[in-house]
Amino acid sequence: MSDQQKERLLRIGVPSKGRLAEVSSQLLNEAGLPFRRNERSLFVRCREMPIEVVFLRTEDIPVLTAEGAIDLGITGADLVAECGMPLIHRLDLGIGSCRLALCIADDSAVSDPRHLAGKRIATSFPRITRRWLTDRGVEAHLVELSGSVEIMIQLGVADAVVDLVETGSTLAANRLRVIAEIGRYETVLVQNEQVADGALADRIVRRLEGIVIARSYSLLEYNIPRGRLAEAEAVTPGFHSPTVSSLEDPNWCAVRAMVRRGEAHGIMERLEAIGASAIVETSISNCRL
Ligand code: PRP
């Protein structure tokens, strides 16, 4: 760790532009780390804690974290994997999920990656791509680019591309199709291996974790006849066990448990089918497990 690293505030690198910029700022805000960005400055001091937010290119965040210019960084796991430098993975942020895929033109006869031996493949992920091809014994010429990979077959410089796919609309617009999935990634928080203030970094991670978990869970509350409680608890086991409270009517009780947000509708239907009533789903804004 450099002397400079020891003396300065803890630094968090966040994407300065692109789709991750806004969601990262929002996440830090919700985690009680508010800051007001000044367009002219790349640094901003967080009002609540001794930390500094640094706005950087998403692609540069892995290397700048590994080099110690920043202590924590929000970036894509795809970029971390491509960077290949030693970093501590602290948290999956539950956003920006995408896959890296080997794609060819819709009307191409290629159906297997092995058909690409000796061909040209355009990508912004040369390291991941090279490793993946080598593992399969395929030797191809890589055309390394920093963007707009999706048009390279049309431009005539590649026979296939390795690109990120999120919604699939870029593939459709450029008449491409996936022949193999290389990896799945999401937005992550990474840390330098020698952070000066590890306790502060841990606090930040716990705060962000509270928001990430809160976003993927809901709180379900319902009333259930005592005789059906065991069945209901099997449907909503909660993390450790659900909270069960007595009601004025001794034949009924109230249950409270966290459930995965995406599963809430199905769970409510199952609870209703076993006799639950007054089933209420509430959003959670923050939590510590
Ligand atoms: C990324 C990626 C794909 C596209 C996939 O490009 O390289 O082209 O998003 O998203 P979709 O499946 O939702 O269409 P980005 O917009 O980041 O710009 P880039 O081409 O400069 O990399």
Side-chain angles (χ1 to χ4, degrees), residues 19 147-148 150 163-170:
R19 54 183 100 185
S148 305
E150 65 276 11
D163 199 7
L164 292 174
V165 181
E166 199 177 335
T167 60
S169 57
T170 302

Side-chain angles (χ1 to χ4, degrees), residues 41 44 64 66 88 165 171-172 190 211-212 216-217 237 268 275 280 289:
S41 173
V44 59
L64 291 173
I88 302 172
V165 181
L171 288 190
V190 287
I211 304 304
V212 172
S216 50
Y217 284 87
M268 288 170 93
V280 177
L289 295 176

Side-chain angles (χ1 to χ4, degrees), residues 6 15 19 24 29 49 56 73 77 128 137 170 222 289:
K6 273 184 232 155
R19 54 183 100 185
S24 308
N29 245 293
M49 279 180 142
L56 299 162
I128 299 176
T170 302
Y222 56 90
L289 295 176

